[in-house]
Amino acid sequence: MPVFNMAGCRTDCVEKPFSIGFQKFGRFVGRHPWWFFICPLVISTALGTGFYFLEDMEANNIEDQFTPVNGPAKLERKFVEENFPLNNSVYSNQRLYTMGEFASFIAVSRDPNIFTDGAIKEILSLDKKVREIKHSRGHEQLTYEGLCARKSNKCIPNKILDIMNHYGSNIDQAELTFPFFRFGFTTIFLGYSVGGVNVSSTVIKSAKAIRLFYCLKEGNRSTTDLWLNEFLKVFPSNQSLNFITVTHSTSLSRQVEFEANTRDVIPLFSITYVIAIVFSIVSCLRFDCVRNKVWVATFGVLSAGLAVLSAFGMMLHIGVPFVMTVANSPFLILGIGVDDMFILISCWQQTNVHARVEDRLADTYKEAAISITITTLTDVLAFYIGLMTPFRSVQSFCLYTSTAILFCFLYSITFFGAFLVLNGRRENSNKHWLTCKEVPEDCPVGRSKWYDLCCVGGAYDRHTGAEEVQPMNHFFKKHYGPFLVKPWTKVCVILLYSVYLSISIYGCFQIQEGIDLRNLAADDSYVNRYYDDEKAYFYEYGPNIMVIIRGEFAYWEEKNMLDLESCVEDFKNLSFIEKDIFTSWLKSYKYYGYHTNLNLSVENVFKTNLSSFLRSYSDFKQDVNFTNNSIRASRFFIQTVNITTAIDEMNMLNNLRDTARRCSVPLLVYHPVFIYHDQYAVIVSNTVQNISVTTAVMLLISLLLIPNPLCCLWVTFSIASVIVGVTGFMALWDVNLDTISMIILVVCIGFSVDFSAHISYAFVSNKKPTANEKAVEALFHLGYPILQGALSTILGVIVLSASKNYIFRTFFKIMFLVIFFGLFHGITFIPVFLTFFDFFSSNSGNVSPQEKRALENEAMTNCQLKNIQEKAIDHDKQIYDNHTFLPDNQQLFPTQACPSAWTLTVNTHPTQSGQMCMASTVPMFRVDNQTYEVQMYTASNDAVTVNCNQNLGAGEYHCVIGNNQPPVSQECNAPFINCSDSADPVP
């Protein structure tokens, strides 16, 4: 069966003109470097003035930034707010539609039981300090008594303190029942006040913790914030407490601690910048005082810094909110910018050192255009697709980062390219990298090795005319590549990939969703210690949920009552609902009607007596919207239990809403924490949507810019494999699928394309005859740049691992996984897998006999040339110092007829002037009785190439490659002089 020649299907209609356009632009930059060097500096300075508005544009409201923009809970809250307005004179914490204004502290006993005389005295002492807190504002004294939330004109009490004061030191002898305790004529719920209880038949035997709340009036935020700040000063330490330890928090604490995180990241960015400069300099360091790229590396890092300055300044000028998540962006941009720098430097080093600098930059841009453009497009589009998410924190991060990447690209081809030209001029003059004084190319006789190292430079590869190949490139070609294609190594790689994939898939099933709000504060924050105690001792009773009956409903009709009671039973039967804790105005009203002999099944009786009932029970008055003799809405409350993990929260929300949806009565459920739990409803669907759209866009870009469809198959494979790996391993690394990890998963698609596209295209496009040689050649050209890019990006974010903040650490963890797995795919997995699937290659499958013979001849010729060049390399210096040229009338062929004369086959090419150029003679010269031929190159890069056979006769034949122009690539159609192996060498 014939094999479809996929690699032969070229789609370079975009790639080819794109490269030519970049080549022309590079030549233009090369001719006017100072303009392109100074303009980015001026633009950056102008745009950087936007940082003046930074403080005004900071938007770190947790609810606004980390919850879905149009989440269902926000619509539910709006309904509650409209139908059940707050009444500060009859305060009820469970009836709030917000989290409320409060201060709280948890006292944990150092002994097994907190109900001891010493612990109680210390708790009462702290309570007294809190109640005595005062704050002066002008002539006004802000006190707890003046700001507290009230009911019956009294501050809302902590009932557990009333119990402590009542029993005093005998409290350990009182039989406190849990969770309800009958105290006088009232029943007190202790589930939120007493924690870590040990009960026997509902009687508390011991308890570990006591929690107190100090609720403040709603609607006067500026005043209450002042008092809450004073509250925090009461708990500087636990040093003066002998029987208890105390943790504390306020309704303001989470927001304040979250905003403080930006101070943590500023010094980290400074460290990152220093690391990036050092790494770049080390990577570009050369033991050649002329070819050294120290300044190039420094200005490459500066280019990335200017991109951040310009992008952030422009966004601030426009008015885009600056969220704390945006502080991650400079670390990523620095890595991407340095990556582009390495690509440009690598291409620059492959150009001819004797060419004009504008031509060198033109060739550099022509070769690097696709690489840096693919990197930019994939990353920018990945971030722009992230704007589809309903989280404002993600949207701001994507806008800032995508804009910075665009500036990074622009400055790389302008500012950095201009500096390459300026540095190239210095190199052309053979001047020292530090002193800028001209130095000799060869070490004078008698000078030391140190002089040779410090004061001699300008070396280049005399066979290619380009700068000398770096040792790491040789490592990939001579050591790593051949090692990777060994049969037993391939088996190990396959086993390693199987283990990687198995662990990744297992991890995908362990992933948890949602961001834990406690993680928005720093690790050492007092808020986290409070949350830890809360989770340890008060986990049993969760939020008290509102179940709201929407719209007008005939409560007096028996059928409707049966339907409603059935729905209530469905709620009570949920595993996380406490059946015995149920608060309902309707249940109490029926009880009221029963004892007053009211027939509540009659509409008129039901409505007439409802007003008097609600006046008697002030709490229930807030549960019924009874307006114009019509019940517009009402609500009852159910109690959740054992909600401890993110999965519990997600299941609670989903099951409650599903139960309400199934009920024949129009219901909705609400609690203020649902605002934050809504992320569970959209996080997975949005992640899948973003990844799907991004993958499709990446494949389209790959098809347009990489002229080989086979590469797109490997891009698809790499994207899927890396995403599975990152998702699985981040779950095993205690990272949840939340707003931070979601966007980085989308970004990892862009990095997957960067790593996979270039290595697979280098494989399928090179002309090596075997798959193993193709893999080695691809690694030789791209292994080191890929490694440099990966290391630069990792170093750009590695300092975030030392951050005390979850958001920054999460960013580091996922970026590390993305880069690490992408690197492994690029230089290990994909090269090995490509060797197994080389039947798609243009050099495999059913090829014509003519193509086969041409490939064999080319391979033989290349091998022979390589051997001849290796023999000649030791004589290079002698050739150039001691040569004696043959006279111009030296003839290549004998004048008399010779049956074994060489045949000369030359393809003619028109020059720019329209003349025809044809190689009729081969320039030669003698050294030490040896004859050398010189391969010459025309200005149009067409070469006359001498194909030499080793067995040409008794004499030894030498070929010398000229250095005027870069060697003609294997793809070019250069004229050839074919030497018949029966010919005799020229004497």
mmCIF file of all heavy atoms in Angstrom, residues 264-265 267-269 271-272 275 327-328 331 523 733 735 793-817:
data_model
loop_
_atom_site.group_PDB
_atom_site.id
_atom_site.type_symbol
_atom_site.label_atom_id
_atom_site.label_comp_id
_atom_site.label_asym_id
_atom_site.label_seq_id
_atom_site.Cartn_x
_atom_site.Cartn_y
_atom_site.Cartn_z
ATOM 1 N N ASP A 264 5.264 41.348 49.240
ATOM 2 C CA ASP A 264 6.110 40.156 49.273
ATOM 3 C C ASP A 264 6.805 39.917 47.946
ATOM 4 O O ASP A 264 7.912 39.382 47.901
ATOM 5 C CB ASP A 264 5.240 38.944 49.646
ATOM 6 C CG ASP A 264 6.021 37.646 49.660
ATOM 7 O OD1 ASP A 264 7.168 37.656 50.150
ATOM 8 O OD2 ASP A 264 5.499 36.635 49.179
ATOM 9 N N VAL A 265 6.188 40.351 46.847
ATOM 10 C CA VAL A 265 6.693 39.988 45.534
ATOM 11 C C VAL A 265 7.712 40.983 44.988
ATOM 12 O O VAL A 265 8.511 40.647 44.113
ATOM 13 C CB VAL A 265 5.512 39.842 44.543
ATOM 14 C CG1 VAL A 265 4.994 41.196 44.121
ATOM 15 C CG2 VAL A 265 5.903 39.006 43.340
ATOM 16 N N PRO A 267 10.568 42.450 46.281
ATOM 17 C CA PRO A 267 11.981 42.030 46.364
ATOM 18 C C PRO A 267 12.266 40.779 45.543
ATOM 19 O O PRO A 267 13.386 40.598 45.059
ATOM 20 C CB PRO A 267 12.187 41.776 47.864
ATOM 21 C CG PRO A 267 10.823 41.570 48.424
ATOM 22 C CD PRO A 267 9.912 42.427 47.607
ATOM 23 N N LEU A 268 11.274 39.924 45.362
ATOM 24 C CA LEU A 268 11.483 38.706 44.570
ATOM 25 C C LEU A 268 11.752 39.049 43.109
ATOM 26 O O LEU A 268 12.562 38.386 42.452
ATOM 27 C CB LEU A 268 10.265 37.783 44.677
ATOM 28 C CG LEU A 268 9.980 37.192 46.058
ATOM 29 C CD1 LEU A 268 8.755 36.294 46.011
ATOM 30 C CD2 LEU A 268 11.179 36.416 46.575
ATOM 31 N N PHE A 269 11.078 40.071 42.603
ATOM 32 C CA PHE A 269 11.310 40.452 41.211
ATOM 33 C C PHE A 269 12.721 40.995 41.025
ATOM 34 O O PHE A 269 13.367 40.742 40.006
ATOM 35 C CB PHE A 269 10.283 41.499 40.765
ATOM 36 C CG PHE A 269 10.434 41.897 39.328
ATOM 37 C CD1 PHE A 269 10.135 40.998 38.320
ATOM 38 C CD2 PHE A 269 10.896 43.152 38.985
ATOM 39 C CE1 PHE A 269 10.287 41.352 36.989
ATOM 40 C CE2 PHE A 269 11.052 43.521 37.664
ATOM 41 C CZ PHE A 269 10.733 42.616 36.656
ATOM 42 N N ILE A 271 15.347 40.075 42.688
ATOM 43 C CA ILE A 271 16.234 38.901 42.681
ATOM 44 C C ILE A 271 16.152 38.188 41.338
ATOM 45 O O ILE A 271 17.167 37.754 40.778
ATOM 46 C CB ILE A 271 15.856 37.948 43.832
ATOM 47 C CG1 ILE A 271 16.079 38.636 45.185
ATOM 48 C CG2 ILE A 271 16.660 36.656 43.752
ATOM 49 C CD1 ILE A 271 15.554 37.840 46.365
ATOM 50 N N THR A 272 14.950 38.069 40.802
ATOM 51 C CA THR A 272 14.759 37.391 39.523
ATOM 52 C C THR A 272 15.511 38.107 38.408
ATOM 53 O O THR A 272 16.120 37.475 37.542
ATOM 54 C CB THR A 272 13.263 37.326 39.172
ATOM 55 O OG1 THR A 272 12.587 36.575 40.179
ATOM 56 C CG2 THR A 272 13.045 36.656 37.837
ATOM 57 N N ILE A 275 19.130 37.257 38.641
ATOM 58 C CA ILE A 275 19.354 35.875 38.199
ATOM 59 C C ILE A 275 19.303 35.783 36.681
ATOM 60 O O ILE A 275 20.131 35.104 36.050
ATOM 61 C CB ILE A 275 18.314 34.928 38.836
ATOM 62 C CG1 ILE A 275 18.552 34.813 40.342
ATOM 63 C CG2 ILE A 275 18.360 33.547 38.188
ATOM 64 C CD1 ILE A 275 17.508 33.986 41.063
ATOM 65 N N ALA A 327 0.922 40.646 39.351
ATOM 66 C CA ALA A 327 2.303 40.705 39.837
ATOM 67 C C ALA A 327 3.100 39.475 39.431
ATOM 68 O O ALA A 327 4.339 39.485 39.487
ATOM 69 C CB ALA A 327 2.320 40.858 41.359
ATOM 70 N N ASN A 328 2.407 38.395 38.996
ATOM 71 C CA ASN A 328 3.115 37.220 38.485
ATOM 72 C C ASN A 328 3.698 37.466 37.096
ATOM 73 O O ASN A 328 4.649 36.804 36.687
ATOM 74 C CB ASN A 328 2.159 36.020 38.401
ATOM 75 C CG ASN A 328 1.802 35.457 39.753
ATOM 76 O OD1 ASN A 328 2.655 34.966 40.483
ATOM 77 N ND2 ASN A 328 0.522 35.520 40.106
ATOM 78 N N PHE A 331 7.595 38.023 35.961
ATOM 79 C CA PHE A 331 8.461 36.851 36.046
ATOM 80 C C PHE A 331 8.353 36.018 34.766
ATOM 81 O O PHE A 331 9.354 35.513 34.258
ATOM 82 C CB PHE A 331 8.070 35.998 37.259
ATOM 83 C CG PHE A 331 8.196 36.726 38.566
ATOM 84 C CD1 PHE A 331 7.125 37.396 39.119
ATOM 85 C CD2 PHE A 331 9.409 36.767 39.231
ATOM 86 C CE1 PHE A 331 7.228 38.077 40.314
ATOM 87 C CE2 PHE A 331 9.536 37.444 40.432
ATOM 88 C CZ PHE A 331 8.446 38.108 40.975
ATOM 89 N N ASP A 523 1.303 32.781 54.325
ATOM 90 C CA ASP A 523 1.358 31.591 55.178
ATOM 91 C C ASP A 523 1.471 31.932 56.650
ATOM 92 O O ASP A 523 0.898 31.250 57.504
ATOM 93 C CB ASP A 523 2.548 30.704 54.768
ATOM 94 C CG ASP A 523 2.383 30.147 53.368
ATOM 95 O OD1 ASP A 523 1.233 30.108 52.890
ATOM 96 O OD2 ASP A 523 3.391 29.759 52.755
ATOM 97 N N TRP A 733 0.826 17.555 43.676
ATOM 98 C CA TRP A 733 1.656 18.576 44.324
ATOM 99 C C TRP A 733 0.785 19.539 45.139
ATOM 100 O O TRP A 733 1.208 20.653 45.442
ATOM 101 C CB TRP A 733 2.461 19.340 43.276
ATOM 102 C CG TRP A 733 3.730 19.940 43.796
ATOM 103 C CD1 TRP A 733 4.184 19.979 45.077
ATOM 104 C CD2 TRP A 733 4.731 20.615 43.011
ATOM 105 N NE1 TRP A 733 5.385 20.625 45.146
ATOM 106 C CE2 TRP A 733 5.758 21.022 43.894
ATOM 107 C CE3 TRP A 733 4.858 20.897 41.655
ATOM 108 C CZ2 TRP A 733 6.876 21.708 43.468
ATOM 109 C CZ3 TRP A 733 5.977 21.578 41.225
ATOM 110 C CH2 TRP A 733 6.986 21.976 42.119
ATOM 111 N N VAL A 735 -1.943 21.236 44.385
ATOM 112 C CA VAL A 735 -2.418 22.432 43.691
ATOM 113 C C VAL A 735 -3.824 22.149 43.180
ATOM 114 O O VAL A 735 -4.044 21.167 42.469
ATOM 115 C CB VAL A 735 -1.495 22.814 42.526
ATOM 116 C CG1 VAL A 735 -2.071 24.006 41.767
ATOM 117 C CG2 VAL A 735 -0.100 23.137 43.035
ATOM 118 N N THR A 793 13.148 30.451 31.430
ATOM 119 C CA THR A 793 11.787 30.613 31.938
ATOM 120 C C THR A 793 11.675 30.106 33.369
ATOM 121 O O THR A 793 11.023 30.729 34.219
ATOM 122 C CB THR A 793 10.786 29.868 31.042
ATOM 123 O OG1 THR A 793 10.959 30.304 29.690
ATOM 124 C CG2 THR A 793 9.358 30.143 31.473
ATOM 125 N N ILE A 794 12.301 28.965 33.649
ATOM 126 C CA ILE A 794 12.264 28.427 35.010
ATOM 127 C C ILE A 794 12.960 29.384 35.979
ATOM 128 O O ILE A 794 12.458 29.657 37.080
ATOM 129 C CB ILE A 794 12.911 27.033 35.059
ATOM 130 C CG1 ILE A 794 12.004 26.015 34.359
ATOM 131 C CG2 ILE A 794 13.155 26.594 36.501
ATOM 132 C CD1 ILE A 794 12.587 24.622 34.281
ATOM 133 N N LEU A 795 14.111 29.913 35.565
ATOM 134 C CA LEU A 795 14.810 30.868 36.434
ATOM 135 C C LEU A 795 13.996 32.141 36.618
ATOM 136 O O LEU A 795 14.118 32.824 37.639
ATOM 137 C CB LEU A 795 16.180 31.199 35.843
ATOM 138 C CG LEU A 795 17.221 30.074 35.913
ATOM 139 C CD1 LEU A 795 18.492 30.481 35.177
ATOM 140 C CD2 LEU A 795 17.537 29.716 37.361
ATOM 141 N N GLY A 796 13.150 32.446 35.624
ATOM 142 C CA GLY A 796 12.313 33.626 35.748
ATOM 143 C C GLY A 796 11.255 33.514 36.821
ATOM 144 O O GLY A 796 10.775 34.526 37.340
ATOM 145 N N VAL A 797 10.871 32.284 37.164
ATOM 146 C CA VAL A 797 9.797 32.109 38.154
ATOM 147 C C VAL A 797 10.258 31.372 39.405
ATOM 148 O O VAL A 797 9.478 31.212 40.348
ATOM 149 C CB VAL A 797 8.600 31.344 37.533
ATOM 150 C CG1 VAL A 797 8.018 32.117 36.364
ATOM 151 C CG2 VAL A 797 9.000 29.941 37.086
ATOM 152 N N ILE A 798 11.507 30.926 39.425
ATOM 153 C CA ILE A 798 11.942 30.044 40.520
ATOM 154 C C ILE A 798 11.919 30.758 41.871
ATOM 155 O O ILE A 798 11.656 30.125 42.908
ATOM 156 C CB ILE A 798 13.346 29.462 40.234
ATOM 157 C CG1 ILE A 798 13.617 28.272 41.159
ATOM 158 C CG2 ILE A 798 14.422 30.531 40.360
ATOM 159 C CD1 ILE A 798 14.836 27.474 40.775
ATOM 160 N N VAL A 799 12.155 32.058 41.884
ATOM 161 C CA VAL A 799 12.158 32.753 43.179
ATOM 162 C C VAL A 799 10.765 32.795 43.792
ATOM 163 O O VAL A 799 10.622 32.986 45.007
ATOM 164 C CB VAL A 799 12.718 34.182 43.041
ATOM 165 C CG1 VAL A 799 14.171 34.166 42.650
ATOM 166 C CG2 VAL A 799 11.901 34.989 42.052
ATOM 167 N N LEU A 800 9.734 32.607 42.976
ATOM 168 C CA LEU A 800 8.370 32.590 43.510
ATOM 169 C C LEU A 800 8.150 31.394 44.424
ATOM 170 O O LEU A 800 7.210 31.397 45.229
ATOM 171 C CB LEU A 800 7.350 32.568 42.376
ATOM 172 C CG LEU A 800 7.299 33.816 41.492
ATOM 173 C CD1 LEU A 800 6.263 33.643 40.389
ATOM 174 C CD2 LEU A 800 6.988 35.050 42.315
ATOM 175 N N SER A 801 8.983 30.373 44.297
ATOM 176 C CA SER A 801 8.846 29.212 45.185
ATOM 177 C C SER A 801 9.139 29.597 46.633
ATOM 178 O O SER A 801 8.715 28.892 47.554
ATOM 179 C CB SER A 801 9.797 28.097 44.744
ATOM 180 O OG SER A 801 11.151 28.516 44.836
ATOM 181 N N ALA A 802 9.863 30.684 46.825
ATOM 182 C CA ALA A 802 10.181 31.138 48.185
ATOM 183 C C ALA A 802 9.129 32.086 48.734
ATOM 184 O O ALA A 802 9.248 32.545 49.872
ATOM 185 C CB ALA A 802 11.545 31.830 48.198
ATOM 186 N N SER A 803 8.092 32.373 47.953
ATOM 187 C CA SER A 803 7.063 33.301 48.405
ATOM 188 C C SER A 803 6.227 32.689 49.521
ATOM 189 O O SER A 803 6.020 31.475 49.581
ATOM 190 C CB SER A 803 6.151 33.682 47.232
ATOM 191 O OG SER A 803 5.061 34.460 47.681
ATOM 192 N N LYS A 804 5.725 33.536 50.402
ATOM 193 C CA LYS A 804 4.853 33.091 51.479
ATOM 194 C C LYS A 804 3.395 33.026 51.046
ATOM 195 O O LYS A 804 2.537 32.636 51.830
ATOM 196 C CB LYS A 804 4.969 34.045 52.677
ATOM 197 C CG LYS A 804 6.360 34.124 53.282
ATOM 198 C CD LYS A 804 6.405 35.150 54.398
ATOM 199 C CE LYS A 804 7.804 35.278 54.982
ATOM 200 N NZ LYS A 804 7.858 36.309 56.053
ATOM 201 N N ASN A 805 3.156 33.369 49.787
ATOM 202 C CA ASN A 805 1.789 33.455 49.303
ATOM 203 C C ASN A 805 1.459 32.298 48.378
ATOM 204 O O ASN A 805 2.241 31.941 47.494
ATOM 205 C CB ASN A 805 1.585 34.787 48.573
ATOM 206 C CG ASN A 805 0.151 34.964 48.124
ATOM 207 O OD1 ASN A 805 -0.185 34.658 46.989
ATOM 208 N ND2 ASN A 805 -0.693 35.442 49.018
ATOM 209 N N TYR A 806 0.275 31.741 48.565
ATOM 210 C CA TYR A 806 -0.166 30.578 47.782
ATOM 211 C C TYR A 806 -0.244 30.899 46.295
ATOM 212 O O TYR A 806 0.133 30.065 45.459
ATOM 213 C CB TYR A 806 -1.542 30.125 48.298
ATOM 214 C CG TYR A 806 -2.240 29.128 47.407
ATOM 215 C CD1 TYR A 806 -1.952 27.767 47.499
ATOM 216 C CD2 TYR A 806 -3.201 29.537 46.482
ATOM 217 C CE1 TYR A 806 -2.592 26.860 46.682
ATOM 218 C CE2 TYR A 806 -3.845 28.630 45.668
ATOM 219 C CZ TYR A 806 -3.542 27.290 45.768
ATOM 220 O OH TYR A 806 -4.176 26.390 44.957
ATOM 221 N N ILE A 807 -0.721 32.085 45.944
ATOM 222 C CA ILE A 807 -0.905 32.412 44.530
ATOM 223 C C ILE A 807 0.428 32.390 43.800
ATOM 224 O O ILE A 807 0.548 31.816 42.710
ATOM 225 C CB ILE A 807 -1.576 33.790 44.399
ATOM 226 C CG1 ILE A 807 -3.025 33.712 44.875
ATOM 227 C CG2 ILE A 807 -1.522 34.292 42.959
ATOM 228 C CD1 ILE A 807 -3.757 35.026 44.831
ATOM 229 N N PHE A 808 1.455 32.991 44.389
ATOM 230 C CA PHE A 808 2.761 33.025 43.743
ATOM 231 C C PHE A 808 3.395 31.631 43.694
ATOM 232 O O PHE A 808 4.010 31.247 42.698
ATOM 233 C CB PHE A 808 3.684 34.006 44.465
ATOM 234 C CG PHE A 808 3.212 35.428 44.384
ATOM 235 C CD1 PHE A 808 3.107 36.206 45.521
ATOM 236 C CD2 PHE A 808 2.861 35.992 43.174
ATOM 237 C CE1 PHE A 808 2.671 37.518 45.459
ATOM 238 C CE2 PHE A 808 2.420 37.299 43.091
ATOM 239 C CZ PHE A 808 2.324 38.064 44.242
ATOM 240 N N ARG A 809 3.257 30.874 44.775
ATOM 241 C CA ARG A 809 3.815 29.514 44.773
ATOM 242 C C ARG A 809 3.106 28.630 43.757
ATOM 243 O O ARG A 809 3.733 27.792 43.100
ATOM 244 C CB ARG A 809 3.729 28.901 46.170
ATOM 245 C CG ARG A 809 4.700 29.458 47.166
ATOM 246 C CD ARG A 809 4.900 28.500 48.339
ATOM 247 N NE ARG A 809 3.635 28.019 48.857
ATOM 248 C CZ ARG A 809 2.888 28.666 49.745
ATOM 249 N NH1 ARG A 809 3.292 29.850 50.185
ATOM 250 N NH2 ARG A 809 1.754 28.152 50.184
ATOM 251 N N THR A 810 1.803 28.789 43.653
ATOM 252 C CA THR A 810 1.050 28.013 42.667
ATOM 253 C C THR A 810 1.506 28.357 41.259
ATOM 254 O O THR A 810 1.676 27.464 40.412
ATOM 255 C CB THR A 810 -0.459 28.287 42.810
ATOM 256 O OG1 THR A 810 -0.892 27.845 44.098
ATOM 257 C CG2 THR A 810 -1.254 27.573 41.734
ATOM 258 N N PHE A 811 1.711 29.639 40.998
ATOM 259 C CA PHE A 811 2.203 30.054 39.694
ATOM 260 C C PHE A 811 3.546 29.385 39.387
ATOM 261 O O PHE A 811 3.760 28.877 38.282
ATOM 262 C CB PHE A 811 2.348 31.570 39.675
ATOM 263 C CG PHE A 811 2.684 32.146 38.324
ATOM 264 C CD1 PHE A 811 1.688 32.395 37.405
ATOM 265 C CD2 PHE A 811 3.989 32.421 37.979
ATOM 266 C CE1 PHE A 811 1.994 32.918 36.163
ATOM 267 C CE2 PHE A 811 4.310 32.939 36.749
ATOM 268 C CZ PHE A 811 3.303 33.199 35.824
ATOM 269 N N PHE A 812 4.430 29.363 40.368
ATOM 270 C CA PHE A 812 5.729 28.712 40.160
ATOM 271 C C PHE A 812 5.564 27.212 39.905
ATOM 272 O O PHE A 812 6.167 26.667 38.976
ATOM 273 C CB PHE A 812 6.628 28.919 41.383
ATOM 274 C CG PHE A 812 7.738 27.899 41.465
ATOM 275 C CD1 PHE A 812 8.826 27.963 40.606
ATOM 276 C CD2 PHE A 812 7.676 26.846 42.379
ATOM 277 C CE1 PHE A 812 9.835 27.005 40.662
ATOM 278 C CE2 PHE A 812 8.673 25.897 42.443
ATOM 279 C CZ PHE A 812 9.753 25.975 41.578
ATOM 280 N N LYS A 813 4.764 26.545 40.722
ATOM 281 C CA LYS A 813 4.625 25.099 40.591
ATOM 282 C C LYS A 813 4.137 24.697 39.203
ATOM 283 O O LYS A 813 4.691 23.795 38.566
ATOM 284 C CB LYS A 813 3.661 24.564 41.660
ATOM 285 C CG LYS A 813 4.221 24.559 43.077
ATOM 286 C CD LYS A 813 3.197 24.006 44.058
ATOM 287 C CE LYS A 813 3.743 23.981 45.480
ATOM 288 N NZ LYS A 813 2.760 23.451 46.445
ATOM 289 N N ILE A 814 3.101 25.388 38.738
ATOM 290 C CA ILE A 814 2.528 24.996 37.445
ATOM 291 C C ILE A 814 3.463 25.374 36.304
ATOM 292 O O ILE A 814 3.648 24.596 35.359
ATOM 293 C CB ILE A 814 1.141 25.637 37.268
ATOM 294 C CG1 ILE A 814 0.220 25.187 38.403
ATOM 295 C CG2 ILE A 814 0.531 25.233 35.937
ATOM 296 C CD1 ILE A 814 -1.157 25.778 38.341
ATOM 297 N N MET A 815 4.073 26.560 36.377
ATOM 298 C CA MET A 815 5.013 26.939 35.321
ATOM 299 C C MET A 815 6.206 25.992 35.299
ATOM 300 O O MET A 815 6.706 25.639 34.227
ATOM 301 C CB MET A 815 5.490 28.375 35.532
ATOM 302 C CG MET A 815 4.483 29.437 35.120
ATOM 303 S SD MET A 815 3.966 29.299 33.400
ATOM 304 C CE MET A 815 5.532 29.425 32.554
ATOM 305 N N PHE A 816 6.668 25.574 36.464
ATOM 306 C CA PHE A 816 7.779 24.620 36.510
ATOM 307 C C PHE A 816 7.380 23.308 35.842
ATOM 308 O O PHE A 816 8.150 22.749 35.050
ATOM 309 C CB PHE A 816 8.185 24.365 37.962
ATOM 310 C CG PHE A 816 9.275 23.326 38.108
ATOM 311 C CD1 PHE A 816 10.604 23.666 37.923
ATOM 312 C CD2 PHE A 816 8.961 22.012 38.415
ATOM 313 C CE1 PHE A 816 11.604 22.719 38.048
ATOM 314 C CE2 PHE A 816 9.951 21.050 38.537
ATOM 315 C CZ PHE A 816 11.278 21.401 38.350
ATOM 316 N N LEU A 817 6.176 22.817 36.145
ATOM 317 C CA LEU A 817 5.709 21.578 35.529
ATOM 318 C C LEU A 817 5.573 21.735 34.018
ATOM 319 O O LEU A 817 5.962 20.844 33.249
ATOM 320 C CB LEU A 817 4.373 21.151 36.143
ATOM 321 C CG LEU A 817 4.403 20.684 37.596
ATOM 322 C CD1 LEU A 817 2.990 20.419 38.094
ATOM 323 C CD2 LEU A 817 5.254 19.428 37.753
#
